[in-house]
Amino acid sequence: MCTLILLHRPAPGVRLLVAANRDEYLDRPAAGPAIARRRDGAGVLAPRDLRAGGTWLGVNEAGVFAAVTNRPVRQPDRALRSRGLLVLDALDSDLAERAAERLGALPADAYNPFNLVVADGERAFAVLYDGAPRVTELARGAHVVGNADPDDRSVAKIDRLLTSVEKVAAGPRGSWLEGLAEVCRGHEGEAPLRAACVHHGGYGTRSSTLMQLDDDPAGSALYFAEGPPCRTSYRDLTPLLHELPRTGGRAAATSLGGIA
């Protein structure tokens, strides 16, 4: 179960904070965040699943963020189009609302079940797909998305993580990213799969991403751990955001310091 944490518009000037753990089989090949160009020349910053060609999260130069988590299914249909390609489809839009509208028009039974979140500086949406799409708008504030409905407190893992994230959001603004990193490193839970950082034989947390997108590009930041964050340091990839004209800035590297 991948874990996606969002703080949407938590304070004036802050568009979005993201903390995301990708849980996957350890032998599935992937590449870290890099900038790719769409056919129209616009930039997209995202890691890449080297098996199916999609991604689990990304941001485009218009400041639209998109990410996907899988919903449970007894036996995935391998003949269906990869859910990771839908993230790239969403990043073709210059507004979250437009991306959500397009995703809401997906045909029935065309994909294995998923949750896909798309957000920009104004609005955020979750597209829940289990045979057909359902679109819901997310309020400003804290959200946790896993393999159940977003913010479903009847799921013990989501309830626990949401409580932790709300505590982080209530703290000083300058501590948010490090607080979210601590949540991503956590091993609390009754079973390995119920922890934020998963270790379960040949399956587990493959990588972790921290991202902040501000109205002022100088405050934006990107950190990436290419391994479980409990034992892998986050690398500062903020300069990549600087290459996306409307979302990033180099100044964040010095103002935030390192996240060990």
Side-chain angles (χ1 to χ4, degrees):
M1 166 180 166
C2 293
T3 299
L4 174 64
I5 296 166
L6 303 173
L7 295 179
H8 187 244
R9 278 295 188 189
V14 182
R15 296 181 180 185
L16 185 68
L17 278 90
V18 174
N21 280 1
R22 184 197 184 213
D23 302 336
E24 184 53 85
Y25 289 103
L26 304 185
D27 61 355
R28 183 161 182 152
I35 290 179
R37 295 287 166 184
R38 302 192 317 229
R39 293 178 183 176
D40 61 2
V44 171
L45 174 57
R48 184 60 67 105
D49 171 21
L50 298 179
R51 178 174 295 173
T55 186
W56 52 100
L57 60 79
V59 63
N60 67 20
E61 66 180 42
V64 176
F65 169 83
V68 69
T69 65
N70 294 342
R71 293 178 70 92
V73 61
R74 180 168 296 181
Q75 187 61 49
D77 186 344
R78 304 297 180 187
L80 297 178
R81 186 171 184 254
S82 169
R83 291 163 285 193
L85 294 173
L86 285 169
V87 176
L88 298 177
D89 292 347
L91 295 177
D92 276 339
S93 298
D94 59 355
L95 291 173
E97 181 180 9
R98 290 178 183 168
E101 288 174 354
R102 293 173 184 172
L103 293 165
L106 290 173
D109 300 320
Y111 294 89
N112 289 302
F114 65 82
N115 296 321
L116 196 151
V117 172
V118 59
D120 58 23
E122 297 299 325
R123 304 177 74 182
F125 300 87
V127 182
L128 288 57
Y129 189 99
D130 195 350
R134 293 183 288 132
V135 180
T136 181
E137 185 163 4
L138 301 176
R140 294 190 178 195
H143 300 280
V144 174
V145 183
N147 63 356
D149 286 2
D151 306 326
D152 183 352
R153 287 192 179 269
S154 70
V155 179
K157 179 173 179 175
I158 291 178
D159 180 52
R160 186 182 68 254
L161 292 177
L162 193 52
T163 297
S164 297
V165 173
E166 288 169 344
K167 290 179 180 177
V168 170
R173 178 170 171 168
S175 69
W176 285 344
L177 277 182
E178 180 56 46
L180 293 177
E182 282 301 310
V183 174
C184 288
R185 296 181 185 117
H187 292 127
E188 296 83 0
E190 297 176 8
L193 295 177
R194 295 184 183 178
C197 190
V198 174
H199 304 269
H200 189 56
Y203 179 88
T205 299
R206 289 281 307 275
S207 64
S208 185
T209 303
L210 303 172
M211 185 184 298
Q212 179 167 335
L213 301 177
D214 283 5
D215 291 339
D216 178 1
S220 296
L222 173 65
Y223 295 91
F224 182 74
E226 200 158 4
C230 65
R231 60 185 185 216
T232 308
S233 295
Y234 287 91
R235 291 187 293 125
D236 185 357
L237 299 184
T238 302
L240 288 174
L241 284 177
H242 185 73
E243 298 180 37
L244 291 175
R246 292 170 58 188
T247 60
R250 296 184 187 275
T254 13
S255 64
L256 284 168
I259 296 184

